[in-house]
């Protein structure tokens, strides 16, 4: 108040200033969003979170943020941890970003999550609160694995058994155990002919991180002269616990190389001729080892000092045996 005109009256201004107080009725809240990224096979991919202040504030405010493991962990090298770090909204600002580096790999996993937590708000007396203090980062797995089995060749041997060792390969490691079954099946080699020892449906387990397993089939040795023979190892019944794993080669072929030979011989025979009639001279033709198929040869007599012209023996022309 000023310039008092009191017309001679005893009037004074004893309080010349009135103060108007404007009660602020505005508030602001802080939130953080959730983010999903695909991890990739190498390097890093940024998961960028946005921290939002719902209304501008007339002064700087600060808070802290830090990452925390979920199903994604720094121990498994899924992402790069961030320790408690300050974040400042300057006067008027309403949006800030936080970047977390997600590591790429080729491990077959389920989708995994980690957290970004907000804390320690310093609002300089302003009506600001954190209404969502946790952002979730989801790492989408983009990896797959395939299972294959190789072919094996072994030489059978003459006795005992020889191992035919097949390798079952998982192309990429998986973060959980997966199982499948294997069993043998006859080809030209058969268990009925005692060529190998059959294996009925048997489980095979890849524990987390494993990429190679072996299957051993016992091949029986013998001295039978045969052709090379084959049997099969079949894979089936894959249980992958929701992981992207397939069997792309489900059959391994085992080839048994025959290492046996056979020779044919005929013996010598001595007989006493007698005075009349005939006496049989019986020759034995011997095959040194059995053979798995029919074989034929010819035989015929031929004169020595004994002759058919002198009626010493009865000639046999070419014949089959």
């Amino acid at each position: 108040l000023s310039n008092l005109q009191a017309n001679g009256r005893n009037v004074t201004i004893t309080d010349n200033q009135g103060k108007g107080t404007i009660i602020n009725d505005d508030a602001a809240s802080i939130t953080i969003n959730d983010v999903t990224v695909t991890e990739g096979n190498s390097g890093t991919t940024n998961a960028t979170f946005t921290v939002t202040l719902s209304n501008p504030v007339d002064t700087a405010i600060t808070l802290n943020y830090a990452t925390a493991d979920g199903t994604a962990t720094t121990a498994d090298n899924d992402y790069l941890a961030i320790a408690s770090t300050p974040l400042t909204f300057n006067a008027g600002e309403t949006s800030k970003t936080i970047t977390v580096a997600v590591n790429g790999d080729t491990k077959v996993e389920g989708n995994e999550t980690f957290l970004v937590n907000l804390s320690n708000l310093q609002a300089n007396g302003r009506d600001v609160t954190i209404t969502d203090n946790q952002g979730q980062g989801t790492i989408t797995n983009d990896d797959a694995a395939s299972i294959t089995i190789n072919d094996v060749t072994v030489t059978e041997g003459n006795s005992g058994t020889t191992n035919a060792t097949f390798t079952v390969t998982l192309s990429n490691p998986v973060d959980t155990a997966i199982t499948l079954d294997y069993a043998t099946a006859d080809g030209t080699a058969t268990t009925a002919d005692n060529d190998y020892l059959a294996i009925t449906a048997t489980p095979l387990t890849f524990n987390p991180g494993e990429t190679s397993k072996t299957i051993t089939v016992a091949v029986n040795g013998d001295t039978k002269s045969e052709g090379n023979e084959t049997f099969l190892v079949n894979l089936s019944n894959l249980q992958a616990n929701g992981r992207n794993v397939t069997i792309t080669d489900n059959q391994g072929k085992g080839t048994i190389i025959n290492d046996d030979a056979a020779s044919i011989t005929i013996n010598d025979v001595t007989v006493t001729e007698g005075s009349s009639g005939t006496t049989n001279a019986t020759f034995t033709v011997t095959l040194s080892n059995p053979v798995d198929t029919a074989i034929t040869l010819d035989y015929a007599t031929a004169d020595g000092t004994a002759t058919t012209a002198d009626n010493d023996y009865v000639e046999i022309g070419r014949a089959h045996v």
Side-chain angles (χ1 to χ4, degrees):
L1 303 177
S2 62
N3 196 26
L4 174 62
Q5 301 295 319
N7 293 318
R9 302 299 188 267
N10 187 15
V11 179
T12 57
I13 299 174
T14 57
D15 182 357
N16 72 335
Q17 191 173 72
K19 181 170 71 173
T21 299
I22 302 172
I23 303 298
N24 178 66
D25 59 354
D26 300 310
S29 60
I30 295 174
T31 57
I32 184 171
N33 68 331
D34 297 328
V35 174
T36 298
V37 295
T38 301
E39 67 179 1
N41 293 330
S42 62
T44 59
T45 301
N46 286 334
T48 302
F49 295 81
T50 301
V51 181
T52 302
L53 184 61
S54 61
N55 291 316
V57 179
D58 67 341
T59 185
I61 63 171
T62 63
L63 63 156
N64 288 68
Y65 66 90
T67 57
D69 286 349
T71 51
T73 67
T74 54
D76 199 31
N77 203 34
D78 294 316
Y79 70 98
L80 300 182
I82 299 175
S84 186
T85 302
L87 183 70
T88 299
F89 286 88
N90 292 312
E93 291 182 335
T94 57
S95 182
K96 306 295 279 188
T97 58
I98 298 169
T99 299
V100 180
V102 172
N103 292 313
D105 62 38
T106 56
K107 182 190 294 184
V108 181
E109 305 168 284
N111 296 339
E112 297 177 306
T113 60
F114 64 93
L115 304 171
V116 176
N117 294 317
L118 306 180
S119 63
N120 195 31
L121 174 63
Q122 303 294 321
N124 289 321
R126 304 303 188 261
D127 189 7
V128 180
T129 55
I130 299 175
T131 56
D132 180 359
N133 73 331
Q134 192 169 79
Q136 178 176 277
T138 299
I139 304 172
T140 301
N141 178 71
D142 60 349
D143 300 307
S146 60
I147 294 174
T148 57
I149 185 171
N150 68 332
D151 299 326
V152 175
T153 298
V154 295
T155 302
E156 66 179 0
N158 293 331
S159 62
T161 59
T162 300
N163 286 335
T165 302
F166 295 80
T167 301
V168 182
T169 302
L170 184 61
S171 61
N172 288 319
V174 179
D175 69 337
T176 186
I178 63 171
T179 62
L180 62 156
D181 291 334
Y182 65 92
T184 56
D186 286 350
T188 52
T190 67
T191 53
D193 197 30
N194 203 35
D195 294 316
Y196 70 98
L197 300 182
I199 299 174
T200 57
T202 302
L204 183 71
T205 299
F206 286 88
N207 291 311
E210 292 181 335
T211 57
S212 182
K213 307 294 279 189
T214 57
I215 296 169
T216 299
V217 181
V219 172
N220 291 315
D222 62 37
T223 56
K224 183 190 293 182
S225 181
E226 305 168 285
N228 297 338
E229 297 175 307
T230 60
F231 64 93
L232 304 172
V233 176
N234 294 316
L235 307 180
S236 63
N237 194 30
L238 173 64
Q239 304 293 322
N241 288 322
R243 304 304 188 257
N244 188 15
V245 180
T246 56
I247 299 174
T248 55
D249 180 357
N250 72 332
Q251 191 170 79
K253 181 169 72 174
T255 300
I256 303 171
I257 302 296
N258 178 70
D259 60 350
D260 301 306
S263 60
I264 295 173
T265 57
I266 187 171
N267 68 333
D268 298 329
V269 175
T270 299
V271 295
T272 301
E273 66 180 1
S275 300
S276 63
T278 60
T279 300
N280 287 334
T282 303
F283 293 83
T284 300
V285 180
T286 302
L287 185 62
S288 60
N289 288 317
V291 178
D292 67 341
T293 187
I295 61 172
T296 63
L297 66 156
D298 294 336
Y299 66 93
T301 58
D303 286 350
T305 53
T307 66
T308 55
D310 197 27
N311 202 32
D312 294 318
Y313 68 96
V314 178
E315 180 182 15
I316 299 174
R318 179 175 294 180
H320 286 293
V321 65

